[in-house]
Every structure is written in C-alpha cells, then in structure tokens.
Amino acid sequence: MKPNYLKLEFLSLPENQAFARDAVAAFCLPLNPTLSQLSDVKTAVSEAVTNAVIHAYPDWPEENPRKVELRCTVNADVLHIEIEDQGIGIADVEKAMEPLFSTCPDKDRSGMGFAFMEAFMDDLEVESTVGKGTIVRMEKKLGHFSWAEEEE
Ligand SMILES: Nc1ncnc2c1ncn2[C@@H]1O[C@H](COP(=O)(O)OP(=O)(O)O)[C@@H](O)[C@H]1O
Ligand SMILES: [Mg+2]
C-alpha cells in the first residue's frame, strides 16, 4: 500500500472514544488486517484515548484546552499511531506503565490500559512531560502473514 496518513483533533469527551477507535480501524482497512489485528488496534486506541479523556485533564472544563490529537500513518504494512494530549502529563512513566498501577482505582480504573496497549501492539512508547502533556506512540504490522512470520 502507498504511504498514507490521517490526522484528527477532538475534544477530550468520552463520546469521542468510539469515534477515534473506529476512524483508525477504517483507516487501516486497506492493509487487509485480520479480525484479530483489527480488534487489537481498536482496543489499544480505545485505551489511549480513554486515558487522554480521563486522566489528562482532571480540571476540565475550567482551565485546560482539553484537546486530543490522533495521528496515524501507514507505511508498507506497518500502522503507526500517535495519540497526544496537552494535559497534566505523567510524572513517572515507568511506574504508570506497570500492570495494575492506577492513580484512580476509586473510579473503577483497572490499571491495565498501558499493559493492554503493550500486549496488543508490536511497539509502545510513551513520552510525557508534567504540565505539558503526553504522547503515546504505537506500532503494529498488519496483514495476513505466515505463522512463522507472525511469531517473530
Ligand atoms: N494521558 C495521560 N495523562 C495523564 N496521566 C495519564 C495518562 N495516561 C495514563 N496516565 C496515568 O497512568 C496511569 C496508568 O494508566 P492505565 O494503565 O491506562 O490505567 P488506568 O487508566 O486504569 O488508571 C493512570 O492511572 C494515570 O495516572
Ligand atoms: Mg487507562
């Protein structure tokens, strides 16, 4: 497939989670993903956008711009996704990425968001600056491969 990109900007509202997830799914369809790959991508995008909605702007709607940007590219058979917010940022990214770690367990958060992104995508990188915001970068190779190739 020819290189392509998608850029979306939306408010950090819960109703935009499904929209963002389905937009990425539609965008990567030309790569002919398997159903399981599609489901993995949708789950990972949902988790990242949910985090931007729930954690990035705790003082919303008073002070913060509450903008979320989603950027996707495809290059050959690789889908690259970036989800960026301009929220409070994460002080200790390594700690935040530990399975079951959550700063809001009281709000029914499982602490598994980053663990799911890591498990369902081939690559996950989180760049965050306190007071500036967070960028989550994820990558996944899509398409129908032989079993041996997929296990690599
Ligand atoms: N975009 C973000 N902005 C600020 N903090 C975040 C963001 N994403 C994640 N975090 C922090 O990382 C923690 C772990 O995230 P996650 O693994 O998705 O678990 P959960 O969302 O269930 O708390 C969150 O509890 C939160 O403190
Ligand atoms: Mg989460």
Side-chain angles (χ1 to χ4, degrees), residues 46-48 50-51 54-55 102 109-114 117:
S46 279
E47 291 293 340
T50 301
N51 280 353
I54 296 202
H55 302 298
S102 177
R109 311 307 310 161
S110 66
M112 291 301 285
F114 283 128
M117 291 178 234

Side-chain angles (χ1 to χ4, degrees), residues 75-125:
N75 211 333
D77 54 2
V78 177
L79 170 70
H80 181 91
I81 304 169
E82 293 188 4
I83 290 154
E84 176 168 8
D85 65 64
Q86 296 173 347
I88 57 169
I90 305 171
D92 187 341
V93 171
E94 210 175 312
K95 180 99 200 145
M97 290 175 78
E98 281 174 15
L100 300 176
F101 176 85
S102 177
T103 45
C104 341
D106 46 321
K107 287 193 198 152
D108 272 346
R109 311 307 310 161
S110 66
M112 291 301 285
F114 283 128
F116 287 150
M117 291 178 234
E118 196 141 43
F120 293 141
M121 300 296 281
D122 296 339
D123 196 39
L124 169 68
E125 271 174 35

